Amino acid sequence: MTTDIKEMERRFQEKIDSGLKIEAKEWMPENYRKQLIRMISQHAHSEIVGMLPEGNWITRAPSLRRKAVLLAKVQDEAGHGLYLYSAAETLGIDRQTMINQLLEGKAKYSSIFNYPTLSWADIGAIGWLVDGAAIVNQTMLARGSYGPYSRAMVRICKEESFHNRQGYEIIYGLANGSPEQKQMAQDALNRWWWPSIQMLGPSDAQSKNSEETMRWKIKVESNDTVRQRFIDRTVPQAHAAGLSIPDPDLKFNEESGHWEIGEIEWTEFYQVIKGHGPCNHKRMQARQKAENEGKWVREAAAAYAKKQKSRQQIAA
Amino acid sequence: MNTKDENDQGLLWEVFVQAKPGIPHKHAGSVHAHDAEMALASARDVYTRRREGTSIWVIPSHMITATTEADSESFFDPADDKAYRHPTFYTVPEGVKYL
């Protein structure tokens, strides 16, 4: 093989520019692989950790219908985590390594899951706002250049639409209920609004890695573009429910057709990312506990498979 | 394979789902499992929670042999210059039907 790296990179870029997807076994620049492993594994961890704040309300859902729906939603999040771990594995990292990175505190996951779910309305707010923001981001990622990630995103987006609607249904119901219920919905919106805005990532001016990730179509739109789309979709939904967005500077720009928000408080975002959010410690403890308590199940499954195999060999 | 004590995730399996009777199975993704039975159960939970399938195949990923990118050009190019394998290659005289 005399083809040099520069030439390989040129061909790789050409392929991306012409809109072709990159598949697992194809040549790719080391940094493309690294960036994707980082992104996809963080995304997978977010799905898994994201089960915790919602799981908190499964036993206390206000009706059997709500409980069945919430169970199905949390199960979907587990499924999303699994699709994404598989997508990351196609890049040559194995699942155990990723899980260990999470448990050892070396891997990041979405900052938003470090906030507590204090009332039932928070379950509505998560589906409506957090999943709403996730859909906007993931619809963008579905257009990305890496085939396995893009296909996982397509699948996930379809399922997130249910999450988004069920969340809005909860919020809308509360907002149109008793004054206390309306207050619950407003309170949830007040607490989840800014973290949802922030979860779409640092502003373009602050964002590292963006030139390369855009050129390689790992991302096809910037954080601020995606954030604006989320805002434009969500503000009218809040108003339709009779709720107000907790931002005194929010205004509609007639000329641009966009909702403009006030300044984002980034200090808090970086604090939460660094591990100083309200629930970082608790979330990691819960993951550690699940890992430890599930160990015997995995061992039993492995032992059973081994025994079956040796029986088959004896029979043969 | 991944059967060491510190890595108890099982084997990697590829999952193929048939969406409706009568159509081909299509690759849906992969799962980790220690044996085929567990792989099928996981595949059902992970890939067919919304009735996306009527049948599932699972196969250990390492059992699959695939073409590689480096070979694919020479592997597939014998078909490149055989346009006569397509019906559109042929001219049908005007007025002639059912061809």
Side-chain angles (χ1 to χ4, degrees):
Chain A
M1 296 295 273
T2 49
T3 329
D4 66 350
I5 288 278
K6 281 266 173 287
E7 175 59 14
M8 307 273 266
E9 275 176 359
R10 196 193 56 79
R11 279 193 215 162
F12 176 81
Q13 189 63 49
E14 213 173 67
K15 211 168 186 177
I16 286 183
D17 293 342
S18 67
L20 287 174
K21 302 274 184 205
I22 305 299
E23 294 299 334
K25 298 277 165 64
E26 296 174 15
W27 185 87
M28 57 187 83
E30 241 353 87
N31 211 28
Y32 179 83
R33 186 185 299 277
K34 255 169 61 186
Q35 294 256 29
L36 272 165
I37 289 179
R38 179 185 59 86
M39 256 179 81
I40 304 174
S41 63
Q42 281 180 15
H43 197 159
H45 298 324
S46 304
E47 301 284 353
I48 299 298
V49 177
M51 295 163 77
L52 299 168
E54 294 184 293
N56 185 32
W57 280 89
I58 291 175
T59 55
R60 291 174 286 163
S63 71
L64 193 55
R65 176 181 179 273
R66 298 285 191 203
K67 191 189 183 95
V69 168
L70 186 56
L71 266 171
K73 180 185 188 297
V74 174
Q75 193 193 17
D76 272 356
E77 306 299 0
H80 297 175
L82 295 180
Y83 310 153
L84 287 162
Y85 282 129
S86 300
E89 283 191 295
T90 63
L91 292 159
I93 184 168
D94 68 88
R95 191 165 80 182
Q96 190 68 56
T97 307
M98 291 184 271
I99 292 173
N100 292 345
Q101 285 169 349
L102 176 69
L103 295 173
E104 287 157 15
K106 289 180 193 156
K108 282 183 190 152
Y109 55 89
S110 184
S111 59
I112 195 122
F113 299 118
N114 290 316
Y115 290 88
T117 41
L118 304 177
S119 81
W120 171 251
D122 290 21
I123 299 305
I126 290 182
W128 172 37
L129 300 172
V130 178
D131 291 325
I135 289 174
V136 179
N137 189 42
Q138 290 170 166
T139 315
M140 176 276 286
L141 292 172
R143 284 153 46 213
S145 61
Y146 188 55
Y149 192 29
S150 151
R151 291 190 286 273
M153 286 296 102
V154 169
R155 198 180 175 87
I156 289 175
C157 285
K158 279 188 198 157
E159 301 184 350
E160 291 285 357
S161 302
F162 136 56
H163 301 177
N164 193 218
R165 285 195 186 187
Q166 68 85 33
Y168 190 67
E169 187 197 72
I170 292 172
I171 286 289
Y172 193 89
L174 290 169
N176 290 280
S178 68
E180 291 80 8
Q181 285 174 320
K182 184 169 184 178
Q183 187 45 47
M184 266 171 75
Q186 184 63 55
D187 172 60
L189 172 56
N190 292 350
R191 283 181 290 107
W192 290 92
W193 174 253
W194 289 107
S196 304
I197 296 286
Q198 291 166 348
M199 76 175 259
L200 293 165
S203 67
D204 296 354
Q206 296 284 318
S207 188
K208 301 176 279 181
N209 312 323
S210 49
E211 192 274 330
E212 202 168 54
T213 50
M214 297 279 272
R215 183 160 50 84
W216 282 337
K217 294 191 186 161
I218 291 176
K219 283 183 169 188
V220 298
E221 284 176 318
S222 75
N223 294 349
D224 286 343
T225 308
V226 171
R227 186 172 5 256
Q228 188 59 50
R229 188 171 304 133
F230 168 67
I231 293 164
D232 289 336
R233 283 182 180 196
T234 311
V235 171
Q237 294 168 353
H239 293 161
L243 298 173
S244 50
I245 300 285
D247 178 358
D249 298 324
L250 181 78
K251 58 175 184 296
F252 187 70
N253 183 327
E254 292 285 349
E255 215 166 288
S256 67
H258 292 299
W259 285 93
E260 290 171 358
I261 60 167
E263 201 147 331
I264 301 172
E265 175 51 82
W266 288 111
T267 328
E268 179 181 315
F269 174 75
Y270 287 113
Q271 281 299 311
V272 177
I273 288 223
K274 280 185 194 132
H276 308 304
C279 299
N280 297 57
H281 185 61
K282 207 173 155 192
R283 300 291 181 241
M284 277 306 96
Q285 264 183 336
R287 285 313 310 151
Q288 195 70 57
K289 184 165 175 262
E291 182 73 9
N292 294 340
E293 291 181 357
K295 194 166 175 58
W296 73 269
V297 181
R298 295 189 297 275
E299 282 170 0
Y304 178 75
K306 204 170 161 191
K307 197 163 128 189
Q308 292 297 104
K309 211 173 182 181
S310 68
R311 276 196 189 149
Q312 275 168 7
Q313 275 162 358
I314 292 165
Chain B
M1 283 294 116
N2 303 335
T3 43
K4 289 174 291 173
D5 281 339
E6 65 272 24
N7 187 346
D8 52 8
Q9 302 290 313
L11 286 178
L12 190 65
W13 302 70
E14 297 306 317
V15 179
F16 298 83
V17 175
Q18 183 189 39
K20 308 186 267 216
I23 64 169
H25 287 65
K26 196 174 156 192
H27 185 238
S30 44
V31 292
H32 281 262
H34 289 282
D35 60 32
E37 201 184 335
M38 188 180 163
L40 274 180
S42 283
R44 179 202 57 197
D45 293 343
V46 176
Y47 295 104
T48 61
R49 286 192 302 283
R50 289 174 176 77
R51 308 181 64 185
E52 291 98 331
T54 50
S55 163
I56 298 177
W57 295 343
V58 290
I59 181 167
S61 307
H62 71 265
M63 300 291 286
I64 293 181
T65 309
T67 52
T68 61
E69 190 197 14
D71 298 341
S72 72
E73 216 167 295
S74 59
F75 193 77
F76 292 109
D77 74 9
D80 286 354
D81 56 357
K82 295 178 181 61
Y84 47 84
R85 283 176 172 159
H86 297 279
T88 46
F89 178 77
Y90 304 91
T91 322
V92 177
E94 219 176 314
V96 178
K97 287 181 182 172
Y98 307 117
L99 269 174

